[in-house]
Amino acid sequence: MTCSMEMLESPVEPQRRRLNRLTKRSIPAQNSLPGRISRSNPPTGSIPDRDQVQASAYLQTDETHERDEADHDAVFTQNEQRKSEHQEEEFVEGKEFDAPAVGMEFDSYDDAYNYYNCYANEVGFRVRVKNSWFKRRSKEKYGAVLCCSSQGFKRVNDANRVRKETRTGCPAMVRMRQVDSKRWRVLEVTLDHNHSLGYKSVKRTGTKRKCADSSIKLYKARVMDVGNSVNANSTPKKQFQSSSPDVLNLRRGDSSAIYNYFCRMQLTNPNFFYLMDINDEGQLRNVFWADGFSRVSCSYFNDVVFIDNAYISGKFEIPLVTLVGVNHHGQTTLLGCGLLAGETVESYHWLLKAWFGLMKCSPQTIVTDRCKPLEAAVSQVFPRSHHRFSVAHIMRKVPEKLGGLVSYDDVRKAFTKAVYETLKVVDFEAAWGFMVHSFGIVDNEWLRSLYEDRARWTPVYLIDTFFAGLATCRPGESLSPFFERYVHKQTPLKEFLDKYELALHRKHREETLAESESLTLKTKCSFETQLSRVYTREMFKKFQVEVEEMYSCFSTTQVHVDGPLVIFLVKERVQGESNRREVRDFEVLYNRSVGEVRCICSCFNYYGYLCRHALCVLNFNGVEEIPLRYVLPRWRKDYKRVHAADNGFVDGADRVQRFDQLYKGALGVVEEGAVSLDRYKVAMQVLEQSLDRVHSVEEKQE
């Protein structure tokens, strides 16, 4: 049953059109032309909301709007030209350069470079070219990244390594690209520096002359793009702000590509779902979608969810946000996707509400990067979930946030040691206090904010939080983005939609191969034999490492007894700095009466299986099998089949619920049948017989 509603076309304000031409951004003007909006499978008797509707014929074509724009552009009076020339003269007289902004355009690469170089001289830093891109045949340059001279760090094996390190990992940069008009457009800007500013060019006279020329060329390009300017009194900075957080930033044709892709997916995948968020002016604001496989995966693996906003926070071409879980093979599985207008509480709240409304599940643990708007949205939509921050994301920001410190290398080592090597809260507090006081960084804002949030990201504080492998507590470990091989900084939306199914197919194939591969025992330990019978191959291999490393634990000593509760001290040889072997002590609590074992390293809560230290204590006490409470059902080979059987009851009157349950059961047959040729033949036979029996029911009723 499909409910549809017609929306009146809102007028397109001429001022907004002129602003789009001024900035030359890739926001399709057709966003303002709402077409027929519908929502699939609403509850009986419900009417879809205007701001949250699923589109079936969303936007008009780009060509239609281009003709409207062409007619409108024909008006450019002589008075306005004289007005533009007058503004140009006023701009040249100014001595300060506006900060680079997304949307600025230049006639050539040299003009763009000169402008950024003059701006750098005005602010107080030097410029260097970080990257350049050239066409294969013509060798013509079509893209470049200009950055602060303090960006990055020199390699250790550089010839001048004896000289003092002058780079600080500064993030300041400008990314630009040649567009269809042959002009150079600024696509990404980072203005913040992590070091003190104050450099001024020695050749001041020559630089001033060059900068003045660049100013005239830049402002001519900007004025000519204005057409009928939005506001004669508006400043250049205002005109070149990034797109509104109330409108999704898209290129020409992206809206049509989204709509066409969604239509095609619903034809080939009836369980595909999408939702579009439209603002009051009829413009596309946010988008959410989930295919049938994601919906089924979410019904199995919704206990821990990672919300990955790296693409939108990293200023990628596509403002993508993914919701990711972990399947029974320990592999990441996609639970939903979204395109957001901006990093605002409203956008994140809409996305999470859309996902929750479809999946009807509240995760036990939610892992995200440190992002205030996302944090607020999670607390509103999932108030009972444990919201934690990814320590791997925090560690990746250390060079950017602390790279400007004089004693950066020593600070980084102290920071890593406090995070990863402390096993008790008191030890972490002492290590952190020593670090900030010894290096004089007590007032560092980033470190202070981290310390305030320490209970949400530091491993020593999270020993009771279950992560299922979506968060790490070991140095060097990190979670790769789900679309890592398919989405890069400059990947356009159309290309991503083409690669989306390819990425999912690869993930599904990896899962199928993991189910078909055999296991190999490496020890005679009873723990290894026990889990080899029930765990999937990938999870068994991870647990197998812990069994092998039991031999690095050379001492298990009983240090305290309180009735059935016993505290053991397990000594292990670990690899420390400079590859030296060190001995570390791990406390393990063991309850003999109920078979409970807890290690201070928190391996079970982070990864879902017992660590080598806990296994040593069980072995020390003569336990031959791991207690069932530590054999998690979510890692079992038959988890999907057993889980589906446990949740087989459906409301007979709810067609959507019947469809979801049947889809889940059929998908289980498909996955099992793909393991081998013999299973495939049996599965095909069963499916054909099932279909015949279903048809026979209708024949009997007739």
Side-chain angles (χ1 to χ4, degrees), residues 248 275-277 284-288 339-342 346-347 350:
L248 189 61
L275 201 65
M276 287 184 170
D277 179 28
L284 183 60
R285 183 164 49 192
N286 302 303
V287 181
F288 165 75
L339 299 174
L340 303 185
E346 293 76 17
S347 290
W350 181 89

Side-chain angles (χ1 to χ4, degrees), residues 83 87 229-236 238-239:
K83 187 176 183 180
Q87 289 176 340
S229 83
V230 177
N231 185 350
N233 298 322
S234 62
T235 62
K238 231 173 190 180
Q239 295 170 357

